[in-house]
Amino acid sequence: METMKQARLWKYIAFALPLSILTAACSDSFLERPPMDTLTDGIYYQTDEEVIMATAPLYNIVWFDFNDKTSFGIGDARAGNMLSNDYDDYYKFAVSATDGPLLSAYASFYKIIAQSNMVIENVNRYGTNVTPAVKNHAIAEARFMRGLAYTYLTSIWKEVPIIYDNLAILSDTTIRKNTVSSIWEFAIRDFRYAAKNLPTTPIQPGRLTKYSAEGMLARAFLTHAGIGAGVGSRNQTDLDSAKYYAKDVIMNSGLTLLQNYSDLFLSTNNNAQSINNETLFALLWLPIREPWGVNNTFQAYMAFGPELIGNQGDGWGRAHGASADLVKYYMANQDDIRRKPTFMFNGDRYPELEYFSDASVTYTINDVANIKKYIIGGPDDNGGNGQFMTAYINTYMMRLAEVYLIYAEAILGNSSVTSDGEALQYVNAIRTRAGLADLTTVTFMDIFNEKRIELAMEGRYWHELVRLSYFNMNGADGTLDIISKQDKGPYTIDYVAGTDNPRQYTVTYPTQDADGVDITRFFPATEDNFYFPYPDAELVKAPSLRKSAVDFDFSKLAN
């Protein structure tokens, strides 16, 4: 039975969902009018509590279509971290404009934007009796989510229209795509507003804070620094801003790294009621399936088999796993502390999962080293929480570990190497937790690769490759160079029986199949196919997407 605390929390997170989302944010196109009835009209924005409830859907259901199938397809498969029979076109850079998950992601981001715009509109229009601090908090949450959605849109499709008022565009026939620089500037403005108007501590578990926004500002400025720049010439003002916001998060947020990396991905440390001390922002999923969309379906698609997660009928992930490129990194660096909670190798055991409670059970890989990160098992492993396609674990959108690495990179700046004490302190804090030796100097690629491994299967690596492309698309150690060298072929891992601490494995990477036919292991990208195509359905609804991009006119905005 739910406790009173659970019931109250779930009311805040889920009560507003069915009507608000179905009315304010169900559009597949940014040009479709959001209805102005039920929870989106003035009846609902009368008290502080109602306003707080109105922003709750921004923490889960509007992100559902992206989280459901596409976040890992783009963030990890496209980026070369993950292999998948279902997403091979992603890492081969051959995705069709009719791809279903791609359309779902595009629609999801504009749902987030539409819902955010409607919250801003309605709080300003109808919240006359609402405490000013609560009004500002709600608008700040909405602007944070809107800004974040645009950062994903531009990383995936490069140039997209900036929609800041869904009603105003209905009579505007001049809507055009906006430039990458404009989109990042728009996101930065949203994050700045959020940082100024969010509290230093959350009003409810998992709600955004000033430091959530400052973490995103650090990420955004680090990215913006490279737009239009050449190798080694990123904008110093932007780098300084990234450094400033990252440092404030590190020094003043009160957040700390969890001692054990694997603890980050236990449901007890990362659910809608229990937010760990490394989380800056996470999507808050509930252990219920009604209304559909408040549930986390990641495990359903990623767990290697139903037996791993309680035989509930899901667990379809046997064909998903680590790329050979990532396996080679783990093997070369003996990075087993982060590897094991992320990918399952032959012979691994996980005592937190009932599946492994029988000492005779050991994991044997099929075609790939399967996914472990965010795989938490069935209800018996999680205090009775969870069910079919419903795993009770939050999805990280930003952790303190990333901010550590942003800070170190901002200190490094345009230098080729640094021995700066603070940069080393925070890079080595990440490495120490991973059981790796300290570095005495650090380069850009040291930090870049550290972030890749730290956040593997958290949907970030593709967006890091895009960030790099802004100032080094074609050069040595540039984005296209990195992609061209990624091994995405088959492999076989064998555990060396009797070894432990660390376990030993032998890995083979065949170059020919059983019939002697050469196996294609590398899939280079080009500037022409680097970004994803706009979904065909969106091109039909919004033919303006075919026009060239223009800079956004920021004079249209009040602030």
Side-chain angles (χ1 to χ4, degrees):
M1 180 178 294
E2 296 176 4
T3 65
M4 291 298 292
K5 180 179 179 181
Q6 287 175 320
R8 181 172 178 81
L9 176 70
W10 293 2
K11 181 183 80 168
Y12 274 112
I13 297 177
F15 178 79
L17 299 179
L19 294 176
S20 65
I21 298 303
L22 292 176
T23 57
C26 63
S27 169
D28 283 340
S29 168
F30 61 81
L31 292 176
E32 191 170 328
R33 179 188 179 98
M36 296 287 289
D37 55 4
T38 60
L39 297 188
T40 67
D41 68 15
I43 297 173
Y44 192 67
Y45 291 80
Q46 300 299 307
T47 68
D48 287 2
E49 183 180 47
E50 288 176 349
V51 169
I52 291 170
M53 291 173 69
T55 59
L58 297 175
Y59 290 82
N60 47 41
I61 198 169
V62 294
W63 292 91
F64 176 83
D65 288 338
F66 175 58
N67 184 72
D68 183 53
K69 294 185 180 71
T70 320
S71 61
F72 52 86
I74 294 172
D76 287 287
R78 179 76 159 194
N81 282 348
M82 185 181 95
L83 297 186
S84 169
N85 292 342
D86 295 335
Y87 289 89
D88 57 339
D89 284 347
Y90 280 61
Y91 62 77
K92 293 177 181 177
F93 292 85
V95 177
S96 166
T98 60
D99 183 77
L102 195 64
L103 176 58
S104 293
Y106 192 91
S108 181
F109 292 128
Y110 276 108
K111 286 179 184 179
I112 297 161
I113 292 163
Q115 179 75 354
S116 298
N117 286 339
M118 292 306 296
V119 166
I120 295 167
E121 167 75 18
N122 289 325
V123 168
N124 281 325
R125 179 180 296 184
Y126 302 117
T128 55
N129 297 320
V130 176
T131 305
V134 172
K135 288 179 63 174
N136 292 339
H137 188 282
I139 293 170
E141 287 180 301
R143 290 190 64 170
F144 177 99
M145 300 294 183
R146 183 177 69 179
L148 185 57
Y150 276 118
T151 69
Y152 279 97
L153 279 165
T154 192
S155 289
I156 299 169
W157 288 280
K158 188 178 181 179
E159 299 160 337
V160 296
I162 294 175
I163 308 301
Y164 63 95
D165 183 335
N166 286 74
L167 300 178
I169 66 169
L170 294 177
S171 59
D172 188 345
T173 60
T174 65
I175 295 296
R176 296 277 289 274
K177 295 181 299 187
N178 294 112
T179 59
V180 170
S181 182
S182 292
I183 295 166
W184 279 102
E185 173 62 25
F186 186 88
I188 286 169
R189 290 181 181 223
D190 274 351
F191 294 146
R192 272 182 166 152
Y193 181 93
K196 290 178 181 177
N197 290 280
L198 289 168
T200 56
T201 56
I203 61 171
Q204 294 171 356
R207 289 282 186 147
L208 294 171
T209 69
K210 167 188 175 180
Y211 300 110
S212 308
E214 287 193 341
M216 288 300 175
L217 277 168
R219 180 194 283 175
F221 274 114
L222 191 68
T223 303
H224 195 264
I227 295 175
V231 178
S233 61
R234 286 184 289 174
N235 182 277
Q236 189 60 49
T237 300
D238 285 337
L239 291 170
D240 290 343
S241 293
K243 178 180 174 181
Y244 169 84
Y245 287 113
K247 185 172 185 177
D248 196 45
V249 172
I250 293 168
M251 298 299 179
N252 298 314
S253 68
L255 300 182
T256 57
L257 297 185
L258 268 63
Q259 183 175 358
N260 298 313
Y261 184 80
S262 59
D263 288 349
L264 285 160
F265 306 99
L266 301 177
S267 63
T268 53
N269 300 323
N270 183 30
N271 63 66
Q273 296 180 79
S274 179
I275 311 298
N276 66 61
N277 210 40
E278 191 169 326
T279 302
L280 276 158
F281 170 48
L283 301 180
L284 308 178
W285 305 108
L286 303 183
I288 55 177
R289 287 191 293 127
E290 297 296 336
W292 182 259
V294 301
N295 49 314
N296 188 353
T297 58
F298 181 91
Q299 176 172 264
Y301 299 114
M302 290 291 104
F304 76 80
E307 64 274 23
L308 184 64
I309 55 176
N311 289 303
Q312 303 170 107
D314 50 1
W316 310 303
R318 195 170 295 275
H320 305 312
S323 67
D325 192 67
L326 211 50
V327 169
K328 287 179 178 179
Y329 168 85
Y330 288 126
M331 297 297 295
N333 293 275
Q334 296 185 331
D335 195 341
D336 206 48
I337 287 176
R338 287 186 293 194
R339 190 280 303 165
K340 187 178 177 183
T342 308
F343 295 104
M344 307 177 74
F345 276 16
N346 189 351
D348 282 342
R349 294 185 56 79
Y350 297 89
E352 71 272 18
L353 300 179
E354 184 183 35
Y355 174 72
F356 293 97
S357 61
D358 184 341
S360 66
V361 174
T362 55
Y363 173 67
T364 304
I365 64 172
N366 183 26
D367 298 318
V368 292
N370 288 118
I371 311 300
K372 172 57 173 71
K373 189 171 281 189
Y374 290 124
I375 305 304
I376 59 173
D380 289 345
D381 300 308
N382 297 283
N385 290 311
Q387 51 187 296
F388 175 73
M389 299 191 76
T390 303
Y392 194 32
I393 187 168
N394 297 335
T395 300
Y396 292 113
M397 303 298 278
M398 176 168 270
R399 294 194 276 113
L400 183 64
E402 181 185 349
V403 178
Y404 277 17
L405 296 173
I406 289 171
Y407 186 52
E409 187 181 330
I411 292 172
L412 171 71
N414 290 315
S415 301
S416 59
V417 63
T418 185
S419 57
D420 179 272
E422 283 193 295
L424 289 170
Q425 175 185 350
Y426 290 106
V427 171
N428 287 332
I430 302 296
R431 290 176 60 83
T432 296
R433 182 169 69 175
L436 303 177
D438 284 355
L439 300 176
T440 56
T441 61
V442 65
T443 67
F444 174 86
M445 289 310 299
D446 288 333
I447 299 170
F448 193 81
N449 290 330
E450 201 65 48
K451 192 182 295 184
R452 177 192 186 184
I453 303 306
E454 176 70 21
L455 304 177
M457 289 311 299
E458 294 179 52
R460 281 303 309 163
Y461 190 44
W462 171 253
H463 308 286
E464 290 297 311
L465 288 169
V466 172
R467 179 175 70 82
L468 175 60
S469 77
Y470 292 153
F471 61 96
N472 188 3
M473 174 68 93
N474 294 293
D477 287 332
T479 295
L480 297 185
D481 184 45
I482 290 171
I483 292 171
S484 71
K485 296 174 181 176
Q486 290 177 339
D487 187 346
K488 299 169 184 175
Y491 56 86
T492 301
I493 301 175
D494 290 310
Y495 166 55
V496 178
T499 64
D500 205 359
N501 298 322
R503 291 187 165 215
Q504 296 177 24
Y505 304 88
T506 59
V507 187
T508 57
Y509 306 94
T511 57
Q512 294 183 330
D513 64 18
D515 297 321
V517 178
D518 287 347
I519 294 170
T520 302
R521 306 191 67 94
F522 300 90
F523 299 90
T526 68
E527 289 193 52
D528 290 336
N529 68 7
F530 180 67
Y531 287 97
F532 285 84
Y534 296 106
D536 274 352
E538 285 302 316
L539 288 171
V540 171
K541 295 176 183 178
S544 60
L545 288 172
R546 301 181 188 276
K547 298 180 179 179
S548 59
V550 297
D551 289 335
F552 182 76
D553 180 4
F554 285 98
S555 68
K556 297 177 181 179
L557 304 178
N559 54 45

